[in-house]
């Protein structure tokens, strides 16, 4: 007998509420099958989503979204949430251009409360909502769902500290513990007590007892306080100290995050508590799909793969992997070189470095703000620290870049991975802000290699031939095509082809390949155009400016935001040098760039070969009319 597909009947969160335990178990299996099938085709975050299937189901069974607000930390574990909140029919479009996002996105659904793509922010946001509810006498609940990795970010502790001071808010924090040991293994008795203390009846009895004792004249309050101290002492003997209760959160757990019956009971119990609650659930990352369970880190954010074998379909050299290789080879020659990452050792290509030089490799967790002062200390002591970080996460330490890096003027190298458009991860992960961020800060040099050989060359130049803080920025994925008769150099700027002309395209990074394609098309039609490739984009070489002063027209194409970018700086320097020709700047202007294929996004914003060619051709024709 063929079983009815339950997932096909879930059009809104309320549809999950009548399901019994057997139906919920079947639904969880159907969801996991859908996750594996879809992510194998689209790429995305698999292991973390497989781990929260039952937890997400329990949340929607107990609470009433969107009236009760569920805030997802980071937001990459919302795939099941999307399936249960009216986006099942669009789920095969996840991370595709024009499709649904791989992160929570308010413009997409009323059930996605805020955009979330960076870690450790959920408790702060959820607390704000909970306090607002309290002010307005709104009885709805606010739930923050965070992974144990979020506890490596300092912001989360600021939120816990602040939230604990609000005694009566309806705030529930669900800690999804899938790797880190938050609590010691405390045996059968503690596990049994954890389940008992998570039940709704326990909290009802506890509240009733406290109310009764407090009504007894003279001794009631004293007795209640004494019982609380005794209970705390006994609990601490069994559980040892609990950090969260020290922060004035009511702690519940740890409980099995894959037992939906226990989860729903615990969440119902949490609703009764008067004040902030932390529910600690234990889950298995990659649950239900063996390759992801065996290799959760590789299946955290993964490319397309064969769902039968778990083998990735695209394994090629990338800027990330090559940078890791180059840094490892330099570290073999120089024992001063250290690598720092913020919970991204695999994504940034540092796995080999961490294995060969474990005493010089430092994963500081999701704590970018800490990484730079830490690098300062290493640099101050004669080491050569290299902080390898995604562009989007570098944004989190703007103050430290100024105060603990540039102002100190010590040798710190920042390797900016995922610079430019990143593809399927969308608005929260596009690496288009780092150039503008760095441009206004003194004592920083920025290199932008286009090819692997330049990446290695600028790493060496940063380590040994450039003073102060140095950033090397490079895109996600492999190197672009290389034009004929071109040999990459590590000069501050390059001209291609050498015979020049009166029309120049100025650009940097991977857009150089597109610019060369546009110039080739223009030359075939008789327009004497050429490319000025900036390798050092901060400070811009004065000779690069001088080479432009006699030109008729300059087109600057930049894979970054226009305001404060290299293009704006270039135009200012031209103006100050007396340039009289035409200057046109094409970059991302006052917008957030959505998820989608990189090449399609470059075309959409006028940064690919065809767009460059068409713009220049059109402007030239208009000028000749």
């Amino acid at each position: 007998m063929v079983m009815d597909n339950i997932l096909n009947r879930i059009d809104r969160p309320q549809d999950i509420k009548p399901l019994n335990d057997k139906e919920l178990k079947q639904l969880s299996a159907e969801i996991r099958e859908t996750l594996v099938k879809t992510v194998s085709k689209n790429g995305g975050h698999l292991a973390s989503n497989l781990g929260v299937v039952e937890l997400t189901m329990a949340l929607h069974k107990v609470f009433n979204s969107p009236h009760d607000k569920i805030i997802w930390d980071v937001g990459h574990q919302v795939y099941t949430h999307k399936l249960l909140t009216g986006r099942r029919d669009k789920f095969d479009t996840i991370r595709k251009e024009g499709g649904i996002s791989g992160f929570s996105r308010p413009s997409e659904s009323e059930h996605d409360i805020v955009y979330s793509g960076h870690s450790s922010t959920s408790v702060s946001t959820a607390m704000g909502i909970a306090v607002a509810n309290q002010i307005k006498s709104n009885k709805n609940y606010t739930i923050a769902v965070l992974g144990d990795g979020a506890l490596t970010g300092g912001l989360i502790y600021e939120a816990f500290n602040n939230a604990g001071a609000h005694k009566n808010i309806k705030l529930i924090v669900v800690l999804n513990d899938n790797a880190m040991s938050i609590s010691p293994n405390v045996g059968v008795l503690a596990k049994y007590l954890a389940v008992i203390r998570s039940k709704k009846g326990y909290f009802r009895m506890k509240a009733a007892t406290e109310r009764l004792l407090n009504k007894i004249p003279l001794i009631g309050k004293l007795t209640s306080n004494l019982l609380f101290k005794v209970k705390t002492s006994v609990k601490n003997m069994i559980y040892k100290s609990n950090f969260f209760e020290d922060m004035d959160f009511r702690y519940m757990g740890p409980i099995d995050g894959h037992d939906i019956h226990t989860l729903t009971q615990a969440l119902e119990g949490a609703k009764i508590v008067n004040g902030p609650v932390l529910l600690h659930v234990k889950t298995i990352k990659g649950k239900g799909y063996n390759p992801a369970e065996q290799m959760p880190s590789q299946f955290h954010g993964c490319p397309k793969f064969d769902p039968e074998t778990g083998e990735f379909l695209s394994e090629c050299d990338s800027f990330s992997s090559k940078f890791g290789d180059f840094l490892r080879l330099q570290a073999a020659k120089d024992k001063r070189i250290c690598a720092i990452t913020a919970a991204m050792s695999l994504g940034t290509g540092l796995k080999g470095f961490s294995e060969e030089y474990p005493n010089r490799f430092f994963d500081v967790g999701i704590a970018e703000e800490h990484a730079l002062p830490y690098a300062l200390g290493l640099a101050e002591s004669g080491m050569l620290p290299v902080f390898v970080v995604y562009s989007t996460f570098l944004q989190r330490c703007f103050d430290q870049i100024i105060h603990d890096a540039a102002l100190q003027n010590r040798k710190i190298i920042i390797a900016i991975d995922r610079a430019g458009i990143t593809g399927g991860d969308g608005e929260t992960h596009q690496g288009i802000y780092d150039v503008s961020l760095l441009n206004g800060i003194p004592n920083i040099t920025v290199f932008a290699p286009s090819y692997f050989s330049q990446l290695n060359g600028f790493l060496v130049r940063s380590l040994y031939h450039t003073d102060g803080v140095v950033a090397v920025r490079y895109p996600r994925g492999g190197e672009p095509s290389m034009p004929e008769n071109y040999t990459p150099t590590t000069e501050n700027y390059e001209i291609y082809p050498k015979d020049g002309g009166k029309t120049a395209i100025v650009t940097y990074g991977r857009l150089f390949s597109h610019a060369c394609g546009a110039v080739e098309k223009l030359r075939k039609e008789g327009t004497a155009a050429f490319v000025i490739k900036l390798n050092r984009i901060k400070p811009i070489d004065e000779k690069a400016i001088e080479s432009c002063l006699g030109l008729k027209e300059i087109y600057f194409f930049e894979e970054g935001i226009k305001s404060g970018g290299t293009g704006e700086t270039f135009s200012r320097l031209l103006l100050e040098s007396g340039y009289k020709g035409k200057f046109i700047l094409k970059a991302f202007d006052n917008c957030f760039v959505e998820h989608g294929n990189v090449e399609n996004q470059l075309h959409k914003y006028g940064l690919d070969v065809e767009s460059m060619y068409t713009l220049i051709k059109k402007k030239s024709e208009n000028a000749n009319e």
Side-chain angles (χ1 to χ4, degrees), residues 520-564:
E520 183 180 354
K521 294 188 69 171
L522 289 165
R523 285 192 159 221
K524 285 179 179 178
E525 297 181 358
T527 301
F530 68 103
V531 182
I532 297 176
K533 178 182 186 295
L534 301 180
N535 291 325
R536 192 184 71 188
I537 61 174
K538 183 182 187 298
I540 296 170
D541 195 308
E542 292 180 1
K543 292 181 180 179
I545 301 296
E546 292 171 5
S547 69
C548 294
L549 296 181
L551 298 179
K552 178 181 177 182
E553 50 188 9
I554 299 170
Y555 296 84
F556 198 110
F557 294 93
E558 182 165 16
E559 193 180 346
I561 58 170
K562 181 181 288 187
S563 180

Side-chain angles (χ1 to χ4, degrees), residues 373-598:
Y374 178 45
L376 171 62
L378 290 168
E380 183 67 27
S381 302
M383 307 302 287
L384 289 174
V386 182
F387 175 34
V388 192
V389 59
Y390 288 7
S391 172
T392 184
F393 301 133
L394 181 66
Q395 297 161 191
R396 296 164 65 98
C397 47
F398 182 48
D399 177 64
Q400 287 75 24
I401 295 172
I402 296 173
H403 182 275
D404 303 293
L407 178 62
Q408 313 294 336
N409 203 25
R410 297 291 185 272
K411 175 58 71 66
I412 297 172
I413 294 156
I414 306 173
I416 307 175
D417 198 340
R418 267 66 166 178
I421 298 297
T422 57
D425 288 336
E427 297 99 324
T428 59
H429 282 62
Q430 305 290 14
I432 61 176
Y433 306 102
D434 59 89
V435 173
S436 290
L437 184 153
L438 297 173
N439 261 340
I441 305 174
N443 295 342
I444 294 182
T445 301
V446 183
F447 294 117
S450 302
Y451 300 101
F452 293 159
S453 62
Q454 290 181 318
L455 179 65
N456 189 36
F458 285 122
L459 172 61
V460 173
R461 190 170 164 186
S462 300
L463 286 166
Y464 304 113
H465 306 293
T466 310
D467 294 332
V469 180
V470 189
V472 182
R473 66 186 308 273
Y474 45 91
R476 183 177 191 173
E479 63 181 350
S481 60
M482 193 177 297
E484 292 184 5
N485 303 317
Y486 167 74
T487 302
T489 75
T490 54
E491 299 297 320
N492 291 338
Y493 75 99
E494 302 170 85
I495 292 177
Y496 176 86
K498 296 293 187 182
D499 54 353
K502 287 296 183 180
T503 297
I505 295 177
V506 186
T507 192
Y508 59 89
R510 67 176 161 195
L511 290 192
F512 171 68
S513 174
H514 295 275
C516 290
V519 161
E520 183 180 354
K521 294 188 69 171
L522 289 165
R523 285 192 159 221
K524 285 179 179 178
E525 297 181 358
T527 301
F530 68 103
V531 182
I532 297 176
K533 178 182 186 295
L534 301 180
N535 291 325
R536 192 184 71 188
I537 61 174
K538 183 182 187 298
I540 296 170
D541 195 308
E542 292 180 1
K543 292 181 180 179
I545 301 296
E546 292 171 5
S547 69
C548 294
L549 296 181
L551 298 179
K552 178 181 177 182
E553 50 188 9
I554 299 170
Y555 296 84
F556 198 110
F557 294 93
E558 182 165 16
E559 193 180 346
I561 58 170
K562 181 181 288 187
S563 180
T566 302
E568 279 199 350
T569 303
F570 199 90
S571 66
R572 174 179 58 79
L573 294 173
L574 281 173
L575 184 63
E576 290 173 354
S577 298
Y579 177 67
K580 303 298 183 182
K582 179 169 64 178
F583 181 89
I584 294 175
L585 170 60
K586 193 72 175 176
F588 300 112
D589 190 12
N590 195 32
C591 65
F592 291 103
V593 180
E594 298 180 356
H595 61 281
N597 176 273
V598 172

Side-chain angles (χ1 to χ4, degrees), residues 7-32:
L7 180 57
N8 286 341
R9 306 199 318 251
I10 308 298
D11 296 316
R12 54 184 188 152
Q14 290 78 5
D15 294 337
I16 198 175
K17 294 183 183 297
L19 301 183
N20 59 37
D21 287 352
K22 182 179 179 181
E23 291 172 318
L24 290 169
K25 186 175 181 180
Q26 180 185 331
L27 177 59
S28 68
E30 292 173 4
I31 290 172
R32 284 196 168 89

